[in-house]
Every structure is written in C-alpha cells, then in structure tokens.
Amino acid sequence: MSFALAPEHATGQYLGVFGLGAGLAEALGPGLLIVLCITWGRPGWYVVGALFALTGLAAPLAVRWAQRHQGAHPMHIESPLKELAA
C-alpha cells in the first residue's frame, strides 16, 4: 500500500514520504508511550488502545478515498500459495 496508490512517475517520492512517517513513529513513539502508559497509568493505556483502534478504522477509509480521488485501481493481493500449488 505504501506505493500502490502513487502515480508511476512519483513512486520514489511517495516511498520517501512513507519512510518519513515510519521514522517519525520510531522517534516519537517511545516518548509518547512513556508519557501515556507510565505517567498516566491505566487511562494512558486506554488512550493508546483508542489511538490504535481509530487508526485501524481510518486506514481503509483513507485508502478508499485515495482510490476514488486519484483514479487508482483497487489493489489485488494474490496468495503466493497459488503459485506453489500450480
């Protein structure tokens, strides 16, 4: 998904932005977890759980929106087991 919605001429740029997001998560994630889970205790864990749930719910909606507005074709993921069985 990190490059499936990118135009063919801009795949590298899209992957670069995707990498920035992953790097940001690695840099800010531990500090955020310390503040929420250790400082806030149980309510902090509820906040972390809610963030994960909201992110999981928002991701498919964001992909569908991007496919509609960029003219992308739906992604078809085939199982590698099909090739092994043939």
Side-chain angles (χ1 to χ4, degrees):
M1 186 172 77
S2 62
F3 66 91
L5 295 173
E8 286 187 31
H9 69 280
T11 303
Q13 294 167 341
Y14 275 61
L15 286 173
V17 172
F18 180 79
L20 283 173
L24 221 88
E26 289 178 8
L28 300 177
L32 182 64
L33 285 177
I34 287 172
V35 167
L36 288 175
C37 299
I38 294 178
T39 306
W40 287 16
R42 186 176 296 211
W45 282 105
Y46 293 143
V47 171
V48 170
L51 287 173
F52 279 121
L54 290 174
T55 302
L57 292 172
L61 298 174
V63 169
R64 274 185 250 144
W65 178 87
Q67 287 175 334
R68 266 195 323 269
H69 287 86
Q70 294 182 2
H73 301 290
M75 292 184 294
H76 298 286
I77 301 172
E78 294 187 21
S79 171
L81 297 177
K82 279 186 179 180
E83 294 174 9
L84 293 174

